[in-house]
Amino acid sequence: GVGKVDKAGTSKVLKTGDTVWVSPINGCWSEKVAVSGSAVHKIAPEHAELATFASSLVTANQLLKGIQKGDAVVQSGGSGLISLAVSALAKQKGITVYTTSTSGDRLAASSQRHKGFGSEVFEASPAGKRKLQSALGKSNVRLFLNGGGKYFNDFSKLVADNGTVITYGAQSGRSLTFAPGPMIYKNLTLSTFYLPTALSALTYEERQALLDSTLKAFAESKFTYPTQVAKGLDAFADVWDSTFVKGGSKGVLKF
């Protein structure tokens, strides 16, 4: 969440009135919250709106860790915020990203958004996988980011030898089903990513530096994503029904 400091307590780096980002799982759905100073990071006021996406933006940053200029990445969950953030950051780094998305309205909308960051979007289906494979040509796919969808087995097979497959997000409660053969003979690394765990492994100073560099990079790319603002809890239900059921936008609760 994003807000302003009312009382800084014993913090030596924060003061009353500072614009701050509060790291995940600290419960920000309230007019005022009391959290440990170690979970609160100062941000530039002009980044306040962008920082409402900070958890997703930092996740995208960390998902691309170790991927180099010239590498190729395949990702699912194309209508989501994190996948768009991956495309935006990859463009800055010279990484080619191929994205998959659910068919219908989500596919059309995500195609338009990702196009602005140079990522082509394919339908999440066996036919879409064949088209994506053709588009890859001789590209060396180093990473598959599994952000959701039921075609994990199809798209994970596109990863080159010694590549990596990372699963993140709630996955809508689905289990992963895949043939182990390609994973074994390609020597693929299967991993997961959960932002609170990743942040807990960093010092306060490392988290601050990561947040600062991430917000700076996305501000420079003029990153945007559709949002629906609920101005208080009374408007909460309608906005969340739309963002979670229809998808393709992010709900923001504003007090």
Side-chain angles (χ1 to χ4, degrees), residues 88-110:
L89 196 58
K91 182 180 180 181
Q92 290 184 340
K93 294 176 176 287
I95 299 165
T96 303
V97 175
Y98 300 86
T99 301
T100 72
S101 180
T102 304
S103 60
D105 292 343
R106 287 196 183 193
L107 178 61
S110 58

Side-chain angles (χ1 to χ4, degrees), residues 50-117:
L50 181 64
T52 60
F53 301 147
S55 293
S56 296
L57 304 184
V58 172
T59 294
N61 187 325
Q62 296 299 283
L63 289 174
L64 288 175
K65 196 173 180 180
I67 304 301
Q68 305 295 321
K69 182 177 181 180
D71 287 341
V73 173
V74 173
Q75 64 171 345
S76 61
S79 64
L81 170 55
I82 292 176
S83 70
L84 186 64
V86 166
S87 291
L89 196 58
K91 182 180 180 181
Q92 290 184 340
K93 294 176 176 287
I95 299 165
T96 303
V97 175
Y98 300 86
T99 301
T100 72
S101 180
T102 304
S103 60
D105 292 343
R106 287 196 183 193
L107 178 61
S110 58
S111 294
Q112 191 62 34
R113 288 195 291 268
H114 284 269
K115 182 179 179 181
F117 297 114

Side-chain angles (χ1 to χ4, degrees), residues 129-151:
K129 182 248 185 173
R130 290 191 292 272
K131 289 182 179 179
L132 196 163
Q133 191 166 22
S134 177
L136 283 173
K138 295 183 179 180
S139 296
N140 190 25
V141 178
R142 302 304 312 154
L143 175 67
F144 171 52
L145 297 175
N146 176 39
K150 59 183 180 180
Y151 295 101

